[in-house]
Short mmCIF file of all heavy atoms in Angstrom, two decimals:
data_model
loop_
_atom_site.label_atom_id
_atom_site.label_comp_id
_atom_site.label_asym_id
_atom_site.label_seq_id
_atom_site.Cartn_x
_atom_site.Cartn_y
_atom_site.Cartn_z
N LEU A 25 83.62 104.24 74.86
CA LEU A 25 84.83 104.73 75.49
C LEU A 25 85.08 106.16 75.01
O LEU A 25 85.13 106.43 73.80
CB LEU A 25 86.03 103.85 75.12
CG LEU A 25 87.38 104.23 75.73
CD1 LEU A 25 87.36 104.00 77.23
CD2 LEU A 25 88.51 103.41 75.08
N TYR A 26 85.19 107.08 75.96
CA TYR A 26 85.40 108.49 75.65
C TYR A 26 86.89 108.82 75.88
O TYR A 26 87.45 108.51 76.94
CB TYR A 26 84.51 109.37 76.52
CG TYR A 26 83.04 109.19 76.17
CD1 TYR A 26 82.33 108.08 76.63
CD2 TYR A 26 82.39 110.10 75.36
CE1 TYR A 26 81.00 107.89 76.27
CE2 TYR A 26 81.06 109.93 75.01
CZ TYR A 26 80.37 108.82 75.46
OH TYR A 26 79.05 108.64 75.11
N VAL A 27 87.51 109.46 74.90
CA VAL A 27 88.96 109.69 74.92
C VAL A 27 89.25 111.18 74.78
O VAL A 27 88.81 111.83 73.81
CB VAL A 27 89.64 108.93 73.77
CG1 VAL A 27 91.17 109.06 73.90
CG2 VAL A 27 89.22 107.46 73.72
N ALA A 28 89.96 111.75 75.76
CA ALA A 28 90.31 113.17 75.72
C ALA A 28 91.58 113.36 74.89
O ALA A 28 92.64 112.84 75.22
CB ALA A 28 90.54 113.69 77.14
N ASN A 29 91.47 114.10 73.78
CA ASN A 29 92.61 114.34 72.90
C ASN A 29 93.23 115.71 73.22
O ASN A 29 92.52 116.71 73.24
CB ASN A 29 92.15 114.30 71.44
CG ASN A 29 91.54 112.97 71.07
OD1 ASN A 29 92.12 111.91 71.31
ND2 ASN A 29 90.34 112.99 70.50
N SER A 30 94.55 115.74 73.40
CA SER A 30 95.22 116.98 73.80
C SER A 30 95.87 117.71 72.64
O SER A 30 95.81 118.95 72.56
CB SER A 30 96.27 116.69 74.87
OG SER A 30 97.36 115.97 74.31
N GLY A 31 96.54 116.99 71.75
CA GLY A 31 97.32 117.64 70.71
C GLY A 31 98.53 118.34 71.26
O GLY A 31 99.07 119.27 70.65
N GLY A 32 99.02 117.89 72.44
CA GLY A 32 100.14 118.54 73.10
C GLY A 32 101.42 118.56 72.28
O GLY A 32 102.07 119.61 72.15
N TYR A 33 101.81 117.42 71.73
CA TYR A 33 103.02 117.39 70.90
C TYR A 33 102.84 118.25 69.65
O TYR A 33 103.76 118.93 69.20
CB TYR A 33 103.32 115.95 70.46
CG TYR A 33 103.97 115.09 71.49
CD1 TYR A 33 104.22 115.54 72.79
CD2 TYR A 33 104.34 113.79 71.18
CE1 TYR A 33 104.81 114.73 73.73
CE2 TYR A 33 104.94 112.96 72.11
CZ TYR A 33 105.17 113.43 73.39
OH TYR A 33 105.77 112.61 74.31
N ARG A 34 101.65 118.18 69.09
CA ARG A 34 101.36 118.94 67.87
C ARG A 34 101.58 120.44 68.10
O ARG A 34 102.17 121.14 67.28
CB ARG A 34 99.92 118.65 67.46
CG ARG A 34 99.59 118.90 66.00
CD ARG A 34 98.32 118.15 65.66
NE ARG A 34 97.86 118.50 64.31
CZ ARG A 34 96.75 119.18 64.06
NH1 ARG A 34 95.99 119.57 65.05
NH2 ARG A 34 96.40 119.44 62.83
N ALA A 35 101.10 120.93 69.24
CA ALA A 35 101.27 122.34 69.55
C ALA A 35 102.73 122.70 69.79
O ALA A 35 103.19 123.80 69.47
CB ALA A 35 100.43 122.70 70.79
N MET A 36 103.49 121.76 70.36
CA MET A 36 104.92 122.00 70.60
C MET A 36 105.67 122.25 69.30
O MET A 36 106.66 122.99 69.28
CB MET A 36 105.55 120.78 71.29
CG MET A 36 105.25 120.65 72.77
SD MET A 36 105.86 119.06 73.44
CE MET A 36 107.57 119.11 72.93
N TYR A 37 105.19 121.66 68.22
CA TYR A 37 105.88 121.80 66.93
C TYR A 37 105.16 122.73 65.97
O TYR A 37 105.25 122.60 64.77
CB TYR A 37 106.07 120.41 66.31
CG TYR A 37 107.12 119.60 67.01
CD1 TYR A 37 106.78 118.75 68.07
CD2 TYR A 37 108.46 119.70 66.66
CE1 TYR A 37 107.75 118.02 68.74
CE2 TYR A 37 109.43 118.97 67.31
CZ TYR A 37 109.07 118.13 68.36
OH TYR A 37 110.04 117.40 69.03
N GLY A 38 104.41 123.69 66.54
CA GLY A 38 103.83 124.75 65.73
C GLY A 38 102.44 124.52 65.22
O GLY A 38 101.87 125.38 64.54
N GLY A 39 101.85 123.39 65.54
CA GLY A 39 100.48 123.10 65.12
C GLY A 39 99.45 123.58 66.14
O GLY A 39 99.79 124.33 67.06
N ASP A 40 98.23 123.13 65.99
CA ASP A 40 97.16 123.50 66.90
C ASP A 40 96.91 122.40 67.92
O ASP A 40 97.08 121.21 67.63
CB ASP A 40 95.86 123.75 66.13
CG ASP A 40 95.97 124.95 65.20
OD1 ASP A 40 96.67 125.92 65.55
OD2 ASP A 40 95.37 124.89 64.10
N TYR A 41 96.46 122.79 69.11
CA TYR A 41 95.98 121.80 70.08
C TYR A 41 94.75 121.10 69.50
O TYR A 41 93.98 121.68 68.73
CB TYR A 41 95.60 122.47 71.40
CG TYR A 41 96.77 122.91 72.25
CD1 TYR A 41 97.08 124.25 72.40
CD2 TYR A 41 97.54 121.97 72.92
CE1 TYR A 41 98.15 124.66 73.19
CE2 TYR A 41 98.59 122.36 73.71
CZ TYR A 41 98.90 123.71 73.85
OH TYR A 41 99.97 124.10 74.63
N ASP A 42 94.56 119.86 69.89
CA ASP A 42 93.31 119.18 69.56
C ASP A 42 92.22 119.74 70.46
O ASP A 42 92.49 120.26 71.55
CB ASP A 42 93.47 117.67 69.78
CG ASP A 42 92.48 116.84 68.95
OD1 ASP A 42 91.37 117.32 68.72
OD2 ASP A 42 92.84 115.71 68.56
N ASN A 43 90.97 119.64 70.01
CA ASN A 43 89.85 120.14 70.83
C ASN A 43 88.70 119.14 70.83
O ASN A 43 87.55 119.52 70.97
CB ASN A 43 89.36 121.48 70.29
CG ASN A 43 88.74 121.38 68.91
OD1 ASN A 43 88.94 120.41 68.19
ND2 ASN A 43 87.96 122.41 68.52
N THR A 44 89.03 117.85 70.70
CA THR A 44 87.98 116.84 70.54
C THR A 44 88.05 115.72 71.55
O THR A 44 89.11 115.42 72.11
CB THR A 44 88.04 116.21 69.13
OG1 THR A 44 89.28 115.49 69.00
CG2 THR A 44 87.94 117.26 68.05
N VAL A 45 86.90 115.11 71.76
CA VAL A 45 86.78 113.83 72.47
C VAL A 45 86.39 112.79 71.42
O VAL A 45 85.40 112.96 70.70
CB VAL A 45 85.72 113.90 73.59
CG1 VAL A 45 85.37 112.51 74.08
CG2 VAL A 45 86.24 114.76 74.74
N SER A 46 87.18 111.72 71.32
CA SER A 46 86.83 110.61 70.42
C SER A 46 85.94 109.65 71.17
O SER A 46 86.16 109.34 72.35
CB SER A 46 88.10 109.89 69.97
OG SER A 46 88.94 110.75 69.22
N VAL A 47 84.89 109.17 70.51
CA VAL A 47 83.94 108.23 71.11
C VAL A 47 84.04 106.90 70.37
O VAL A 47 83.78 106.81 69.17
CB VAL A 47 82.50 108.77 71.03
CG1 VAL A 47 81.54 107.82 71.75
CG2 VAL A 47 82.43 110.18 71.66
N ILE A 48 84.41 105.86 71.10
CA ILE A 48 84.59 104.52 70.52
C ILE A 48 83.43 103.63 70.94
O ILE A 48 83.12 103.51 72.12
CB ILE A 48 85.92 103.90 70.96
CG1 ILE A 48 87.11 104.76 70.50
CG2 ILE A 48 86.08 102.47 70.44
CD1 ILE A 48 88.45 104.29 71.04
N ASP A 49 82.78 102.99 69.96
CA ASP A 49 81.76 101.98 70.23
C ASP A 49 82.47 100.70 70.67
O ASP A 49 83.19 100.09 69.89
CB ASP A 49 80.93 101.74 68.96
CG ASP A 49 79.78 100.77 69.19
OD1 ASP A 49 79.86 99.94 70.14
OD2 ASP A 49 78.80 100.82 68.42
N LEU A 50 82.27 100.31 71.93
CA LEU A 50 83.02 99.17 72.46
C LEU A 50 82.52 97.82 71.91
O LEU A 50 83.25 96.84 71.96
CB LEU A 50 82.97 99.18 73.99
CG LEU A 50 83.75 100.32 74.64
CD1 LEU A 50 83.61 100.28 76.14
CD2 LEU A 50 85.23 100.27 74.25
N SER A 51 81.30 97.79 71.40
CA SER A 51 80.81 96.53 70.83
C SER A 51 81.53 96.16 69.54
O SER A 51 81.67 94.99 69.20
CB SER A 51 79.30 96.61 70.58
OG SER A 51 79.01 97.57 69.59
N THR A 52 81.99 97.17 68.82
CA THR A 52 82.71 96.94 67.55
C THR A 52 84.15 97.43 67.61
O THR A 52 84.95 97.14 66.72
CB THR A 52 82.02 97.66 66.40
OG1 THR A 52 82.00 99.08 66.67
CG2 THR A 52 80.58 97.15 66.24
N PHE A 53 84.49 98.16 68.66
CA PHE A 53 85.78 98.83 68.84
C PHE A 53 86.15 99.65 67.61
O PHE A 53 87.24 99.53 67.05
CB PHE A 53 86.89 97.84 69.18
CG PHE A 53 88.05 98.50 69.90
CD1 PHE A 53 87.85 99.17 71.09
CD2 PHE A 53 89.34 98.46 69.38
CE1 PHE A 53 88.88 99.81 71.74
CE2 PHE A 53 90.39 99.09 70.02
CZ PHE A 53 90.17 99.76 71.21
N THR A 54 85.22 100.46 67.19
CA THR A 54 85.42 101.39 66.07
C THR A 54 84.99 102.78 66.51
O THR A 54 84.17 102.93 67.43
CB THR A 54 84.60 100.98 64.83
OG1 THR A 54 83.21 100.91 65.18
CG2 THR A 54 85.08 99.63 64.29
N LEU A 55 85.52 103.79 65.83
CA LEU A 55 85.20 105.17 66.16
C LEU A 55 83.74 105.46 65.79
O LEU A 55 83.35 105.34 64.64
CB LEU A 55 86.13 106.13 65.41
CG LEU A 55 86.02 107.59 65.79
CD1 LEU A 55 86.47 107.83 67.22
CD2 LEU A 55 86.85 108.46 64.81
N LYS A 56 82.95 105.87 66.78
CA LYS A 56 81.54 106.16 66.56
C LYS A 56 81.34 107.61 66.12
O LYS A 56 80.63 107.89 65.17
CB LYS A 56 80.74 105.89 67.82
CG LYS A 56 79.25 106.21 67.72
CD LYS A 56 78.54 105.94 69.04
CE LYS A 56 77.05 106.22 68.92
NZ LYS A 56 76.78 107.67 68.79
N CYS A 57 81.98 108.55 66.83
CA CYS A 57 81.84 109.95 66.51
C CYS A 57 82.94 110.74 67.21
O CYS A 57 83.69 110.20 68.03
CB CYS A 57 80.45 110.48 66.90
SG CYS A 57 80.12 110.47 68.68
N THR A 58 83.01 112.02 66.90
CA THR A 58 83.96 112.92 67.51
C THR A 58 83.20 114.15 68.03
O THR A 58 82.39 114.72 67.31
CB THR A 58 85.04 113.37 66.52
OG1 THR A 58 85.74 112.21 66.05
CG2 THR A 58 86.03 114.31 67.16
N ILE A 59 83.45 114.53 69.27
CA ILE A 59 82.77 115.66 69.89
C ILE A 59 83.74 116.82 70.04
O ILE A 59 84.80 116.68 70.65
CB ILE A 59 82.21 115.28 71.29
CG1 ILE A 59 81.39 113.97 71.23
CG2 ILE A 59 81.38 116.41 71.87
CD1 ILE A 59 81.03 113.44 72.60
N GLU A 60 83.40 117.98 69.48
CA GLU A 60 84.22 119.18 69.70
C GLU A 60 83.95 119.72 71.09
O GLU A 60 82.79 119.96 71.46
CB GLU A 60 83.90 120.24 68.64
CG GLU A 60 84.43 119.89 67.25
CD GLU A 60 84.38 121.08 66.30
OE1 GLU A 60 84.15 122.21 66.77
OE2 GLU A 60 84.59 120.86 65.10
N VAL A 61 85.00 119.92 71.87
CA VAL A 61 84.82 120.31 73.28
C VAL A 61 85.58 121.61 73.57
O VAL A 61 85.01 122.67 73.63
CB VAL A 61 85.28 119.18 74.22
CG1 VAL A 61 85.07 119.58 75.68
CG2 VAL A 61 84.49 117.90 73.93
N ALA A 62 86.89 121.51 73.78
CA ALA A 62 87.74 122.66 74.08
C ALA A 62 89.17 122.26 73.80
O ALA A 62 89.47 121.07 73.63
CB ALA A 62 87.56 123.09 75.55
N VAL A 63 90.10 123.21 73.79
CA VAL A 63 91.45 122.89 73.39
C VAL A 63 92.23 122.20 74.51
O VAL A 63 91.97 122.40 75.70
CB VAL A 63 92.24 124.15 72.95
CG1 VAL A 63 91.53 124.83 71.78
CG2 VAL A 63 92.42 125.13 74.10
N ASN A 64 93.16 121.33 74.08
CA ASN A 64 94.14 120.74 75.00
C ASN A 64 93.46 119.97 76.14
O ASN A 64 93.65 120.26 77.31
CB ASN A 64 95.05 121.85 75.55
CG ASN A 64 96.30 121.30 76.21
OD1 ASN A 64 96.62 120.11 76.12
ND2 ASN A 64 97.02 122.17 76.89
N LEU A 65 92.66 118.98 75.78
CA LEU A 65 91.94 118.20 76.78
C LEU A 65 92.88 117.25 77.51
O LEU A 65 93.84 116.75 76.95
CB LEU A 65 90.82 117.41 76.11
CG LEU A 65 89.76 118.26 75.36
CD1 LEU A 65 88.75 117.37 74.67
CD2 LEU A 65 89.08 119.22 76.32
N PHE A 66 92.55 116.99 78.77
CA PHE A 66 93.43 116.12 79.56
C PHE A 66 92.66 115.18 80.47
O PHE A 66 92.60 113.99 80.25
CB PHE A 66 94.42 116.96 80.40
CG PHE A 66 95.18 116.14 81.38
CD1 PHE A 66 96.14 115.25 80.94
CD2 PHE A 66 94.94 116.23 82.74
CE1 PHE A 66 96.85 114.46 81.84
CE2 PHE A 66 95.63 115.46 83.66
CZ PHE A 66 96.60 114.57 83.21
#
């Protein structure tokens, strides 16, 4: 399962946008890896 992370709230409060896609292994439902992509993914 590939998940687009935005960091939208974080940026609203002075932080940075997220720039990653989280990858979940569905056989174990655990985080497999994180892919750096671009800011504010949707």
Side-chain angles (χ1 to χ4, degrees):
L25 181 68
Y26 293 78
V27 186
N29 301 309
S30 70
Y33 282 3
R34 202 161 172 248
M36 283 172 54
Y37 287 90
D40 295 325
Y41 285 108
D42 204 328
N43 66 342
T44 64
V45 167
S46 297
V47 184
I48 299 174
D49 184 335
L50 292 178
S51 64
T52 61
F53 203 58
T54 57
L55 187 66
K56 177 181 182 291
C57 65
T58 300
I59 309 170
E60 288 193 11
V61 181
V63 301
N64 195 10
L65 300 177
F66 171 70

